[in-house]
Amino acid sequence: MSIYRSRDQGPRGGAEHLARIHGTEEDKVNCPFYFKIGACRHGEKCSRQHHRPPFSETVIVKHMWNNPMCAIASSGGNILMMDKNKSQEILDDFYEEIFEEFKKFGKLEDIQVCENLGDHMVGNVYLKYCDEEDAANALVGLHGRYYAGRPLQCEYSPVTDFREARCRQYDEGTCQRGPYCNFMHVCEPSRDLRRHLEKEYDFKGGKMKGTGTMDSLKGGGGRGRGGDRGRDDRFRR
């Protein structure tokens, strides 16, 4: 009896198996890195498929964040010698500026800024909206826009759960690959900025658990938020 039952359920078992392995290393058809992170170091030359979603709650803006580590790394300097307070200040200004712009399209659930330096991940910014329609508004509204003199490269991302995209070792402060890791190392805005955005806009994103990011490295509180700090508007059409 069990033999006939297994034959009858063969197609169903096959479908369940494909669903179980989809986006994992066992999946020989679909790229697990693109599925989890929305980016792959092989790009279009990848031997596995990159399925770009026709809609999503998440929009990726590629290479938007001008990470201060890039200039140091490209000149052969030691990124561990960076001025952490200054780097955190630059990140906070960037994070608040893009939040103010991107919230115009709808309610944001989270913004994640990549600290990675690999070519396929450097400067990537992920915008997760509470609704797919808001993400669609963002994708349309950002088309043809510029930031800091560079065109914005935006598309839907398959990433909806950042816990799967983040490097767990980095979150625990133990990643040995550094900024060239293929999983997300996320820049964390300061505690002061997170509190300000939560108070003013009920935004609860930007929080990381146990990350070794700039905020934890600087070992301090930060500065007050709010008001115009003389920052030029770097968004252009």
Side-chain angles (χ1 to χ4, degrees):
M1 181 66 72
S2 60
I3 296 176
Y4 290 105
R5 185 181 297 117
S6 63
R7 286 178 178 174
D8 292 341
Q9 294 179 354
R12 179 183 175 187
E16 290 176 349
H17 173 70
L18 292 175
R20 180 182 63 80
I21 69 170
H22 181 73
T24 69
E25 287 295 337
E26 294 182 64
D27 189 345
K28 302 304 180 183
V29 177
N30 303 292
C31 176
F33 280 101
Y34 185 80
F35 179 73
K36 291 182 179 179
I37 306 169
C40 168
R41 64 189 178 93
H42 299 294
E44 298 300 326
K45 297 180 180 179
C46 183
S47 61
R48 304 184 195 185
Q49 296 180 10
H50 295 176
H51 288 291
R52 290 174 170 80
F55 52 84
S56 175
E57 298 169 353
T58 306
V59 173
I60 182 174
V61 188
K62 298 181 179 180
H63 316 308
M64 183 183 188
W65 162 233
N66 186 16
N67 190 336
M69 284 200 302
C70 291
I72 296 175
S74 62
S75 64
N78 186 352
I79 59 176
L80 297 178
M81 301 302 292
M82 291 174 55
D83 183 335
K84 300 302 188 296
N85 288 323
K86 182 62 177 177
S87 298
Q88 185 67 55
E89 185 176 323
I90 293 172
L91 171 65
D92 281 358
D93 279 348
F94 171 77
Y95 198 97
E96 187 172 11
E97 181 180 25
I98 64 173
F99 177 85
E100 290 171 353
E101 183 68 24
F102 295 145
K103 72 178 178 61
K104 297 176 182 177
F105 302 108
K107 185 171 177 55
L108 284 158
E109 181 177 321
D110 205 352
I111 297 177
Q112 302 270 290
V113 179
C114 276
E115 192 174 82
N116 306 63
L117 297 183
D119 290 344
H120 61 300
M121 297 183 71
V122 62
N124 288 353
V125 175
Y126 295 78
L127 316 171
K128 186 178 181 185
Y129 286 89
C130 294
D131 190 276
E132 289 176 352
E133 291 186 4
D134 294 337
N137 291 336
L139 198 63
V140 172
L142 294 173
H143 179 72
R145 298 284 302 278
Y146 286 73
Y147 180 80
R150 295 181 299 173
L152 297 178
Q153 303 176 52
C154 307
E155 63 183 47
Y156 287 127
S157 172
V159 181
T160 56
D161 187 349
F162 291 113
R163 293 172 300 179
E164 292 297 317
R166 292 201 324 258
C167 173
R168 292 185 178 89
Q169 286 76 24
Y170 179 75
D171 287 358
E172 297 167 358
T174 60
C175 181
Q176 300 298 312
R177 297 188 178 186
Y180 295 96
C181 178
N182 283 319
F183 286 94
M184 287 172 61
H185 289 193
V186 178
C187 299
E188 184 179 37
S190 68
R191 191 177 297 109
D192 281 353
L193 178 55
R194 296 198 307 271
R195 287 172 177 168
H196 167 71
L197 296 179
E198 182 172 0
K199 178 180 178 182
E200 295 294 324
Y201 305 104
D202 192 32
F203 176 73
K204 297 180 175 63
K207 299 175 184 177
M208 304 297 296
K209 180 179 180 182
T211 55
T213 54
M214 296 174 182
D215 189 37
S216 60
L217 287 170
K218 82 176 185 178
R223 56 203 171 92
R225 310 306 307 175
D228 184 1
R229 294 172 303 288
R231 179 185 59 208
D232 293 332
D233 183 7
R234 285 165 283 198
F235 281 96
R236 293 286 185 271
R237 290 197 175 276

